[in-house]
Amino acid sequence: GENVEQHPSTLSVQEGDSAVIKCTYSDSASNYFPWYKQELGKRPQLIIDIRSNVGEKKDQRIAVTLNKTAKHFSLHITETQPEDSAVYFCAVDTGTASKLTFGTGTRLQVTL
Amino acid sequence: SQTIHQWPATLVQPVGSPLSLECTVEGTSNPNLYWYRQAAGRGLQLLFYSVGIGQISSEVPQNLSASRPQDRQFILSSKKLLLSDSGFYLCAWGTYEQYFGPGTRLTVT
């Protein structure tokens, strides 16, 4: 089955700095790559996604880049703010019933 | 717009007791439905998914079961809870994009 590795597991940045989280996957047939943000005690929320026919997608301060050849994709958050502090999960579709395989999560802390 | 509901929000149950968690979706038809479990401080484990009424696929062998008696209703059950069943149970719907419900926090004592 699909294997998704996510790094780093924790990330601490100062407010205003950029943060980058990277995920690698194993199945070259995967074609959908979402990112979720989960605040403490809350549900995961979809914040951005990308499909395999696109190399980069941006939404205000967040962007996702995809390298299908290398089988990795990354989340970029610019001008970080304290409210960006959360756990971020990457995911990859498995091609069956739109099931997603999730990464292990990255705890991002934005300090003042 | 689509809305997903889960209840109860929190639950404390003794070991060996039964379990029933319910999830309903509004504003869409024939959605794919999913049950996940998240242990404290951990990632998301897919338990079951369904692509239609009465169709259930299990991802992890365990003492849990799922049913989909109606198009937009998904139920997670257990006949006898184990301590290891404690966790945050999340229902999700979607095709490609998945959207999560508010979750049920289950503590088995």
Side-chain angles (χ1 to χ4, degrees):
Chain A
E2 179 70 87
N3 184 42
V4 180
E5 294 189 2
Q6 183 172 346
H7 298 282
S9 57
T10 60
L11 180 59
S12 182
V13 300
Q14 287 196 326
E15 183 179 9
D17 288 350
S18 295
V20 181
I21 304 169
K22 182 177 177 179
C23 286
T24 60
Y25 60 98
S26 58
D27 188 350
S28 57
S30 297
N31 59 16
Y32 175 64
F33 309 89
W35 285 91
Y36 287 82
K37 174 184 179 182
Q38 186 176 29
E39 297 177 354
L40 190 62
K42 302 285 185 62
R43 74 184 89 180
Q45 293 197 309
L46 177 65
I47 57 171
I48 196 167
D49 56 12
I50 193 168
R51 300 186 190 277
S52 59
N53 58 344
V54 177
E56 182 175 358
K57 184 177 178 180
K58 191 173 181 180
D59 183 3
Q60 298 183 335
R61 295 187 298 107
I62 61 173
V64 56
T65 57
L66 172 65
N67 184 327
K68 283 221 73 178
T69 302
K71 290 188 282 187
H72 67 72
F73 59 111
S74 299
L75 177 70
H76 304 256
I77 306 174
T78 59
E79 301 173 24
T80 53
Q81 302 169 3
E83 52 264 39
D84 294 328
S85 296
V87 178
Y88 291 81
F89 291 97
C90 65
V92 178
D93 84 285
T94 65
T96 302
S98 301
K99 291 189 300 176
L100 298 175
T101 298
F102 284 82
T104 49
T106 296
R107 184 173 301 279
L108 172 65
Q109 183 173 7
V110 180
T111 58
L112 297 173
Chain B
S1 64
Q2 299 83 10
T3 310
I4 180 168
H5 303 278
Q6 282 187 249
W7 63 90
T10 60
L11 192 59
V12 180
Q13 292 283 95
V15 168
S17 63
L19 173 73
S20 181
L21 304 180
E22 189 165 344
C23 168
T24 59
V25 182
E26 297 176 355
T28 186
S29 297
N30 196 31
N32 289 349
L33 296 172
Y34 310 86
W35 277 112
Y36 291 87
R37 177 170 61 200
Q38 186 175 36
R42 304 296 295 275
L44 295 155
Q45 179 187 31
L46 179 64
L47 302 175
F48 301 94
Y49 67 94
S50 170
V51 299
I53 297 174
Q55 189 282 327
I56 306 294
S57 296
S58 174
E59 287 291 294
V60 182
Q62 57 213 328
N63 69 323
L64 299 173
S65 62
S67 62
R68 185 171 178 173
Q70 300 181 43
D71 182 42
R72 290 170 289 177
Q73 182 185 30
F74 206 20
I75 297 172
L76 183 70
S77 303
S78 174
K79 293 182 179 178
K80 289 185 177 182
L81 284 168
L82 307 173
L83 284 174
S84 56
D85 291 324
S86 293
F88 191 36
Y89 287 81
L90 291 153
C91 180
W93 75 273
T95 50
Y96 272 114
E97 301 94 350
Q98 287 187 25
Y99 300 97
F100 288 86
T104 295
R105 196 163 303 279
L106 171 66
T107 303
V108 182
T109 61

